[in-house]
Amino acid sequence: MPRIILDEAAINRAITRIAHEIIERNKGVEQCVLVGIKTRGVHLAARLARKIEQIEGDDIPVGEVDITLYRDDLSHEHQDEEPILQGTDIPVDISGLKVILVDDVLFTGRTVRAALDALIDLGRPEQIQLAVLVDRGHRELPIRPDFVGKNVPTSKTEIISARVTEADGTDEVVIDQRSETSIH
């Protein structure tokens, strides 16, 4: 039975807290750009940008990165089908800027590694920071978020699903047990 660990109000509070932390750590957002990892990270990045604008009165550029071709599991999972590319769209040159990479759930770190590779192919940022709504642990790579909405210790038999209104019609983060057939 799925259990809600973040409801709409909790997600909004997390976005507000992360926005304040980004502003504080970077002493404003003048040399910053938010880049969401497709799909839900893009929506969270847009929300962070709106919140930062409310707090600071400054716009912050928002982009999106498609990691499809940078995934290290692409050849294993999709041997018989062509990957569907959604495109990367970052409205500014990231060279010399502080890029805040945004994702919904941080698990093994492989999605973030793929996003880092994609960003480095676009330019040489001054710094890359990572903001995630949920950090569930179980890292396989040495990747650590700079900004976290909620830490949720999990077992590998659990699934964390983040849903956002823009993509899913609702705002919530739920935890559930994997079915026996999906455990490797």
Side-chain angles (χ1 to χ4, degrees):
M1 172 67 95
R3 183 174 48 106
I4 296 174
I5 55 175
L6 289 175
D7 60 12
E8 181 178 3
I11 290 172
N12 289 336
R13 283 190 298 273
I15 294 290
T16 299
R17 186 176 60 257
I18 291 170
H20 280 284
E21 290 173 2
I22 288 169
I23 294 164
E24 185 175 325
R25 176 169 179 171
N26 294 292
K27 298 175 179 52
V29 292
E30 194 173 298
Q31 292 296 309
C32 297
V33 59
L34 293 167
V35 176
I37 299 175
K38 298 239 180 166
T39 297
R40 286 161 191 81
V42 173
H43 301 301
L44 294 171
R47 290 184 190 189
L48 279 168
R50 288 191 298 272
K51 185 58 71 177
I52 288 169
E53 184 179 0
Q54 287 175 0
I55 297 165
E56 284 288 285
D58 288 333
D59 283 339
I60 182 170
V62 180
E64 50 192 60
V65 64
D66 180 0
I67 62 161
T68 304
L69 294 178
Y70 294 89
R71 293 184 58 94
D72 60 6
D73 62 352
L74 186 64
S75 60
H76 304 292
E77 286 185 4
H78 307 286
Q79 290 177 354
D80 299 330
E81 39 184 281
E82 288 293 314
I84 298 170
L85 301 178
Q86 299 175 336
T88 293
D89 179 22
I90 301 174
V92 295
D93 179 2
I94 64 170
S95 296
L97 296 180
K98 294 178 183 176
V99 175
I100 297 106
L101 194 58
V102 182
D103 203 9
D104 55 354
V105 179
L106 178 58
F107 183 28
T108 62
R110 293 186 181 278
T111 296
V112 173
R113 187 221 37 92
L116 292 170
D117 287 348
L119 286 174
I120 297 304
D121 278 354
L122 296 174
R124 191 178 191 293
E126 176 186 320
Q127 187 178 63
I128 300 174
Q129 300 166 14
L130 177 61
V132 297
L133 184 59
V134 175
D135 182 353
R136 64 168 291 184
H138 300 287
R139 219 73 76 239
E140 295 174 1
L141 300 171
I143 290 174
R144 181 182 54 85
D146 299 282
F147 312 103
V148 179
K150 184 171 181 75
N151 285 294
V152 181
T154 62
S155 75
K156 287 199 173 186
T157 62
E158 292 173 314
I159 299 172
I160 300 267
S161 299
R163 299 182 183 117
V164 295
T165 303
E166 300 90 337
D168 308 298
T170 188
D171 273 349
E172 64 184 11
V173 177
V174 298
I175 188 168
D176 201 2
Q177 292 294 317
R178 285 187 194 273
S179 65
E180 290 300 316
T181 57
S182 66
I183 298 175
H184 299 278

